[in-house]
């Protein structure tokens, strides 16, 4: 299966268990690895036979910036579900990174990674 990658998308959202996180917000970074059969797109040079990066970006932006989740696990799940049901993506890996998580100590980020397939959402 072919893959489309979108790495390091940065959005400001209000996700977290603590009330302050829901009020103040923070940066979230999203990485996507999307399995798509784009042989036909490559042969025809036609975007209609592939997945629009711009459309994917807008879907993720809408979710991260307008919805509120306590858990980044739920945020990742929503991103996977929306992309698998609204596009021709067959399988997706979603990574959510939260560099400003309220954890005492030095760390690069807290994060999650999930993998989902279209069949889990589209019957």
């Amino acid at each position: 299966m072919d893959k489309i990658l979108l790495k390091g998308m940065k959005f400001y959202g209000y996700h977290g268990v603590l009330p302050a996180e829901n009020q103040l917000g923070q940066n979230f970074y999203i990485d996507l690895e999307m399995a798509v059969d784009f042989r036909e797109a490559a042969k025809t040079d036609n975007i209609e036979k592939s997945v629009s990066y711009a459309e994917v970006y807008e879907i993720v932006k809408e979710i991260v910036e307008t919805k509120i989740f306590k858990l980044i696990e739920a945020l990742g799940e929503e991103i996977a579900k929306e992309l698998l049901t609204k596009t021709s993506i067959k399988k997706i890996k979603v990574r959510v990174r939260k560099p400003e998580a309220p954890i005492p100590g030095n760390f690069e980020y807290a994060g999650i990674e999930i993998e989902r397939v279209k069949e889990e959402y589209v019957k």
Side-chain angles (χ1 to χ4, degrees):
M1 187 64 60
D2 306 314
K3 292 183 182 177
I4 294 174
L5 308 171
L6 273 176
K7 302 277 184 175
M9 293 180 285
K10 180 181 176 183
F11 304 104
Y12 200 83
Y14 297 86
H15 315 289
V17 173
L18 302 177
E21 294 179 283
N22 304 139
Q23 295 166 355
L24 300 173
Q26 59 191 289
N27 290 311
F28 292 85
Y29 293 85
I30 311 296
D31 302 323
L32 301 176
E33 188 173 303
M34 300 162 279
V36 179
D37 183 348
F38 54 75
R39 286 178 282 202
E40 191 62 29
K43 287 179 195 172
T44 62
D45 199 23
N46 182 348
I47 186 63
E48 299 298 321
K49 303 293 182 183
S50 189
V51 173
S52 166
Y53 312 153
E55 178 186 2
V56 168
Y57 183 91
E58 288 304 317
I59 291 170
V60 175
K61 179 180 185 345
E62 175 77 15
I63 294 167
V64 178
E65 293 184 349
T66 66
K67 296 188 178 191
I68 297 175
F69 297 96
K70 288 186 174 153
L71 302 178
I72 56 176
E73 292 89 330
L75 173 61
E77 185 71 27
E78 181 71 7
I79 291 168
K81 178 183 72 124
E82 288 297 305
L83 290 173
L84 288 168
T85 57
K86 292 182 176 177
T87 70
S88 62
I89 296 167
K90 308 265 188 238
K91 180 179 176 183
I92 191 164
K93 183 184 292 185
V94 179
R95 181 179 299 120
V96 178
R97 294 179 285 141
K98 185 177 178 178
E100 298 151 14
I103 302 171
N106 294 319
F107 62 95
E108 188 176 335
Y109 63 86
I112 61 100
E113 181 177 285
I114 65 170
E115 288 187 50
R116 301 290 184 265
V117 295
K118 187 178 276 303
E119 290 79 23
E120 293 178 73
Y121 301 103
V122 179
K123 306 277 185 216

